[in-house]
Amino acid sequence: MCNAGVTTTDFSGYFRSLVAALGGQPGWYGAFAARRPGVARAYEAGAELPPWDVVHTVLHDAAAAQGGVPAPAEIARARSLHQAAIAIWDAAPGAEPALRARLDAAAREEDAAARREHQAAARVLSATPATESAARLATLHAWTRDDHRRAASRRAELHTRLLSLPTTNRPAGSSWSGPGAEPRSRMEPASGRDMAAWPAGAPGPGGGEGAQPARGPAGGSWAESGREPAKSVGSADEGVRPARGPAG
């Protein structure tokens, strides 16, 4: 439910404050922004609504930059502002077909992420232990595992949003039965602190193309070395945007 008086500007301002609090330790979001600057700018400007996993990671990394963890009350505040912004976005004209299209895309992304994680795990098992290659593959596997978690989380979020629309705006029938209808998981993405035990010096996916997080990635969408995340409409690392954005 949308909090009375809350606008999308409230959330975007809050999100910008979290990004600013990262300071010189930008963590996963810093790497993401370096690789996808247009999407990051859209999140910070309020032109796109970041999925919850992005907000969750930035919140934890901002607290870690100050040497701590976010207080439960701060997590609740972030969740409340994000949910209020979702309610406004999803009340805008064109929200329902946009959500359906993004849910279908999220289902495809989750399937692709699962395949990449499986392939990365197989490569780790076939690597010679205690070698530079093994360390690199272990890091790659960690990225693909968290990428899969994020894809599952985003699919579940979109599914919930679609089912939360007024009945008159839902697809024909009592429930949505498209390709993305049943999320298989609600796994929470890791934070930068969770990933801190990765092998020292192990390169992240993408080699020299993208910036590497200061404390090891908190997960991301760069699942294969040298590959750019999908940039099609509905990509798993983009927020859901109705045909016309909400006022305010």
Side-chain angles (χ1 to χ4, degrees):
M1 179 179 296
C2 180
N3 294 343
V6 174
T7 69
T8 54
T9 302
D10 295 323
F11 173 77
S12 59
Y14 176 75
F15 185 72
R16 284 193 298 272
S17 73
L18 290 180
V19 173
L22 293 172
Q25 301 183 58
W28 172 83
Y29 187 79
F32 169 76
R35 195 69 177 267
R36 302 294 301 279
V39 176
R41 284 194 298 269
Y43 287 167
E44 294 168 33
E48 293 280 357
L49 183 62
W52 173 248
D53 73 275
V54 173
V55 182
H56 179 270
T57 297
V58 175
L59 179 62
H60 279 261
D61 283 354
Q66 304 300 317
V69 296
E74 189 62 26
I75 296 174
R77 179 190 179 205
R79 175 67 86 172
S80 178
L81 287 170
H82 189 251
Q83 289 294 319
I86 283 176
I88 295 171
W89 277 102
D90 291 353
E96 184 258 340
L99 280 169
R100 278 200 267 172
R102 291 291 176 86
L103 182 57
D104 288 348
R108 293 191 296 272
E109 174 58 27
E110 185 182 355
D111 288 342
R115 289 193 299 272
R116 292 193 296 265
E117 181 185 355
H118 178 77
Q119 292 165 357
R123 293 173 68 185
V124 168
L125 291 175
S126 65
T128 302
T131 62
E132 181 178 347
S133 176
R136 180 181 62 81
L137 291 173
T139 300
L140 176 62
H141 183 216
W143 278 80
T144 58
R145 183 172 57 245
D146 194 61
D147 189 42
H148 185 197
R149 289 173 176 167
R150 288 178 185 275
S153 174
R154 293 169 188 187
R155 181 182 179 186
E157 182 178 324
L158 291 169
H159 181 250
T160 298
R161 288 174 65 175
L162 184 62
L163 292 183
S164 297
L165 293 176
T167 303
T168 54
N169 291 338
R170 290 186 189 175
S174 59
S175 64
W176 171 231
S177 58
E182 294 297 331
R184 290 187 288 273
S185 171
R186 290 178 179 271
M187 296 181 288
E188 192 74 69
S191 70
R193 293 171 68 88
D194 298 326
M195 310 295 274
W198 288 2
E209 291 184 16
Q212 186 161 352
R215 293 183 304 281
S221 299
W222 316 334
E224 295 182 359
S225 179
R227 289 188 58 180
E228 185 79 5
K231 294 187 179 181
S232 59
V233 173
S235 173
D237 58 3
E238 297 182 21
V240 175
R241 186 178 182 180
R244 286 171 20 200

